[in-house]
Amino acid sequence: MLTAKRFLEIGNSPIVEAMHQVAVLKAAGRDIISLAAGEPDFNTPEHIANAGKEAINAGKTKYTCESGLLALRKAICGKFKRDNNLFYTSEQVIASSGGKQIITNALIATLNPSEEAIIPAPYWTSYPNMVRINYGVPVIVKCSAENNFKLTPKQLEAALTNKTKLLFINSPGNPSGAVYTENELAALGEVVTSHPTLVVLADDVYEHTVYDQKFITPAQINSKLYERTITMNSVSKSYSMTGWRIGFAGGPEDIIQTMHKIQAQTTMHPSTISQHAAIAALTGPQTFVHQAQVIFKERRDLVCSLLNMIDGIECAIPQGAFYAYPSVGRLLGKYTPQGKTLQNDRDVMEYFLNEADVATVYGEAFGLSPYLRISYATSTELLTEACRRIDEACKKLK
C-alpha cells in the first residue's frame, strides 16, 4: 500500500457528494432543486468585489506575510472587538485559505498523536475526518433534540479522559441551527477550565445568522476561557464570499504563532486578492450582513412552517445558521411506489431526490439520525416548490 493507512477510514464529504450528484443530474436534464449546499445565494456585495478588482488593477498580487496582510489582521482584530468584545493583537490572529484551513492548522497545532477531540453531534461532516487526518481520535457525543441538539456539562464531563485535548463548539450549529446561550457556555466553560490541557475550538462561521437571541462566543465568557479558546470565523457565509476562501482566527498567541509556522510550511498565505476583498468586507458597511439575516429568518419561518405541515416530518425551529434539520423518523418503515422500504434517513434522502427532484443531505452524515439537513439559502420560490414536491412524495408512501 502506497498511501498512508489512516486514510483508509476517511471518506468523501457527503455534502460534496450530494452537490456532485446534483450537477450530474442537472447536466442530464433533470429539474433538481438543491437544498444540499450551505452556500448563500446572494452575490458578493459590490464594494467587496470591487476591492478585489482594484487590487488586481493596482498590481497587488504579490506574496504577503504568511498570516495575512497586516492590514487584514488589524481588520480582523477590529471585527473581534466590534462584534464580540474580544481584544486581540495582530500577533494573536491569522488569516488562512478558508475556514477549513484554520481548523486544520488548529488541529495540527494542538493535537498530539492519539489525543482526543470531543465533537458534539450533530456536527459538520468534516470535523471527525479532519481530526483523524491529523492523528487525533474523534469522540462523538450525541446531543438529542430534547436538549435542542446542544452539549450539556454532564455529557462533556462524561466524555473527558486523560487523552482529551480539544472540544469543538459550533454555534450556531451546522446542521441543527442550535445556538448556545451565555449561561450554557458558562456552564460548559467551568468543565473546560477544570481540565488543565483542554482547548476549545469555537467555530463561529454562522455568527451573523442568529435570529431569536444574542450571539455569544466562548472566549467572551471569562478570561480563563479566553486563554483556552481558538475563535475561528470566515467571510464566506456572512458576506457571501464562499469562493474567495478567507478564514481567520484569534486566540492564545502561542497557538496562533504555531498555526503561523504550519501555514508557512504548507500553503503560505491566502490569496492576496481575496485578502484585499476581505479587508473591505470587515471594515466597510455592514448593511448587507443585517439585510441577509432578515431574509434568512423569513426563509427559516417559511420552510419550517411548510415542513411541519407535511405528514411524517417534524421540524424544530432552528435559532441560527440557514439549515433546517427535520426528523424523518415517522417515514421509516413506509414503502415507496416502487416497493422499496425506507429503512433510514439515507433512503429518505434518495427517495426525495428520485421521486421529487429535491436534493438534501441525510442525517447520518452529521452523526445523528433519522434527520435530513435542508439548506434554506436559496430563493423563497424554490423553497416553496421544494416543500410542495416533498409533500407530494410523502403522500405517495404506503
Side-chain angles (χ1 to χ4, degrees):
M1 181 182 298
L2 299 180
T3 56
K5 290 182 180 179
R6 69 184 184 279
F7 286 97
L8 291 175
E9 57 180 323
I10 306 299
N12 294 322
S13 165
I15 300 171
V16 174
E17 287 183 345
M19 292 166 63
H20 175 72
Q21 189 175 17
V22 167
V24 170
L25 292 174
K26 283 187 173 182
R30 291 270 296 277
D31 177 26
I32 305 295
I33 298 177
S34 179
L35 307 181
E39 183 172 48
D41 58 326
F42 314 119
N43 289 331
T44 302
E46 188 174 4
H47 73 281
I48 299 173
N50 285 340
K53 296 173 188 176
E54 289 164 8
I56 296 172
N57 293 336
K60 296 177 180 178
T61 56
K62 308 298 183 185
Y63 290 133
T64 73
C65 170
E66 294 93 331
S67 295
L69 290 159
L70 179 59
L72 175 55
R73 284 182 283 136
K74 286 184 176 180
I76 292 167
C77 291
K79 173 263 177 290
F80 279 128
K81 179 181 178 181
R82 178 188 69 224
D83 295 340
N84 312 114
N85 199 33
L86 292 176
F87 296 86
Y88 294 116
T89 68
S90 58
E91 300 303 309
Q92 290 179 278
V93 299
I94 185 171
S96 296
S97 298
K100 274 191 173 181
Q101 190 184 8
I102 287 289
I103 296 172
T104 298
N105 288 352
L107 293 173
I108 297 171
T110 57
L111 283 179
N112 294 304
S114 299
E115 287 187 328
E116 297 170 349
I118 296 174
I119 304 174
Y123 48 71
W124 181 42
T125 56
S126 291
Y127 289 156
N129 282 337
M130 294 172 89
V131 170
R132 294 185 184 104
I133 287 171
N134 289 290
Y135 300 97
V137 178
V139 175
I140 310 303
V141 180
K142 295 194 175 186
C143 305
S144 67
E146 287 71 29
N147 199 50
N148 299 314
F149 303 111
K150 290 185 278 190
L151 182 71
T152 67
K154 184 177 180 180
Q155 287 178 304
L156 175 57
E157 192 76 62
L160 292 172
T161 73
N162 59 4
K163 291 186 176 181
T164 306
K165 186 61 175 292
L166 199 76
L167 167 65
F168 281 84
I169 294 182
N170 177 209
S171 175
N174 174 6
S176 68
V179 179
Y180 286 87
T181 67
E182 184 173 358
N183 288 340
E184 288 167 340
L185 290 175
L188 290 172
E190 289 183 12
V191 181
V192 168
T193 53
S194 68
H195 195 79
T197 59
L198 184 55
V199 176
V200 175
L201 179 52
D203 182 346
D204 293 353
V205 298
Y206 297 98
E207 168 186 5
H208 292 298
T209 48
V210 174
Y211 306 118
D212 304 311
Q213 64 189 71
K214 181 181 178 183
F215 173 78
I216 298 288
T217 193
Q220 287 178 265
I221 298 298
N222 55 49
S223 60
K224 290 182 179 179
L225 264 180
Y226 172 90
E227 293 166 0
R228 298 280 201 92
T229 302
I230 305 165
T231 303
M232 66 84 54
N233 212 315
S234 81
V235 297
S236 292
K237 314 295 184 180
S238 298
Y239 301 96
S240 200
M241 295 176 67
T242 51
W244 293 84
R245 308 311 303 136
I246 295 289
F248 56 89
E253 187 170 342
D254 59 336
I255 295 179
I256 297 298
Q257 288 305 305
T258 301
M259 292 168 66
H260 172 107
K261 291 178 185 178
I262 294 162
Q263 193 156 292
Q265 299 299 332
T266 52
T267 61
M268 193 68 168
H269 59 79
S271 160
T272 305
I273 298 158
S274 296
Q275 288 188 59
H276 284 284
I279 292 170
L282 295 175
T283 62
Q286 301 299 299
T287 308
F288 170 83
V289 173
H290 303 303
Q291 291 174 337
Q293 182 185 44
V294 171
I295 293 170
F296 281 135
K297 183 177 181 182
E298 291 173 351
R299 292 175 177 179
R300 177 202 67 171
D301 294 344
L302 172 69
V303 167
C304 291
S305 174
L306 292 174
L307 289 173
N308 279 321
M309 287 191 287
I310 299 173
D311 187 25
I313 293 180
E314 299 173 88
C315 186
I317 310 299
Q319 298 303 301
F322 38 69
Y323 308 106
Y325 200 54
S327 169
V328 293
R330 287 167 52 206
L331 298 179
L332 303 187
K334 293 192 175 185
Y335 293 89
T336 71
Q338 294 75 32
K340 179 181 178 179
T341 307
L342 299 179
Q343 297 182 354
N344 50 49
D345 47 30
R346 188 193 289 254
D347 286 347
V348 176
M349 175 195 75
E350 292 175 351
Y351 174 65
F352 287 159
L353 180 61
N354 295 324
E355 188 70 29
D357 285 340
V358 176
T360 60
V361 186
Y362 59 101
E364 183 188 353
F366 304 95
L368 196 68
S369 296
Y371 297 89
L372 294 180
R373 190 190 79 167
I374 290 177
S375 170
Y376 50 85
T378 191
S379 72
T380 298
E381 292 75 21
L382 286 177
L383 292 170
T384 303
E385 173 61 13
C387 290
R388 186 196 67 78
R389 294 182 185 185
I390 290 172
D391 185 26
E392 288 298 314
C394 287
K395 288 176 179 176
K396 296 178 182 178
L397 295 170
K398 303 296 183 184

